[in-house]
Amino acid sequence: MKHEFTIEALDRIIEMAWEDRTTFDAIKFQFGIKEQDVIDIMRREMKLSSFKMWRQRVQGRHTKHSKKRPFEDGRFKCSRQKQITHNKISKR
């Protein structure tokens, strides 16, 4: 299935995929694409060396798969993380 995304949507997909604690399920929920589609986008949009580094990092990572996460419902949040609203970091 071929998906057409705006530049902004592609940027957000890449950003979410790059974040260690954002699951592929969250990307699927927001954009309607499967893990393999995310991998294909990352391969197409990134430099080869960056893609390889990302792929090595996320392969087998428990936090990228909601069923493998060591914590229950909710989202892990560091106690030092600033409040986040509407995908933008709040001003200090």
Side-chain angles (χ1 to χ4, degrees), residues 50-64:
S50 297
F51 171 75
K52 285 181 178 181
M53 181 176 60
W54 171 79
R55 190 70 184 120
Q56 184 177 26
R57 199 177 84 239
V58 300
Q59 205 159 19
R61 182 174 288 272
H62 294 294
T63 55
K64 291 303 278 184

Side-chain angles (χ1 to χ4, degrees), residues 66-92:
S66 60
K67 291 181 181 175
K68 294 182 180 179
R69 292 182 114 163
F71 48 90
E72 294 298 321
D73 292 335
R75 177 182 172 275
F76 173 83
K77 184 176 177 182
C78 176
S79 61
R80 296 178 305 280
Q81 183 177 351
K82 294 289 182 188
Q83 192 69 5
I84 298 177
T85 56
H86 305 326
N87 295 332
K88 293 182 182 177
I89 298 174
S90 299
K91 293 181 181 179
R92 295 181 189 179

Side-chain angles (χ1 to χ4, degrees), residues 28-68:
K28 183 178 181 179
F29 178 78
Q30 188 167 347
F31 294 98
I33 57 175
K34 297 178 182 178
E35 179 179 348
Q36 186 59 51
D37 296 327
V38 173
I39 293 168
D40 292 342
I41 288 171
M42 297 294 276
R43 180 180 286 120
R44 185 179 67 237
E45 298 294 327
M46 298 174 74
K47 293 189 299 186
L48 181 60
S49 60
S50 297
F51 171 75
K52 285 181 178 181
M53 181 176 60
W54 171 79
R55 190 70 184 120
Q56 184 177 26
R57 199 177 84 239
V58 300
Q59 205 159 19
R61 182 174 288 272
H62 294 294
T63 55
K64 291 303 278 184
H65 301 88
S66 60
K67 291 181 181 175
K68 294 182 180 179

Side-chain angles (χ1 to χ4, degrees), residues 2-16:
K2 186 74 172 171
H3 296 278
E4 295 295 325
F5 294 106
T6 64
I7 293 171
E8 292 81 11
L10 275 175
D11 285 347
R12 184 64 184 138
I13 291 168
I14 292 168
E15 181 182 9
M16 290 175 78

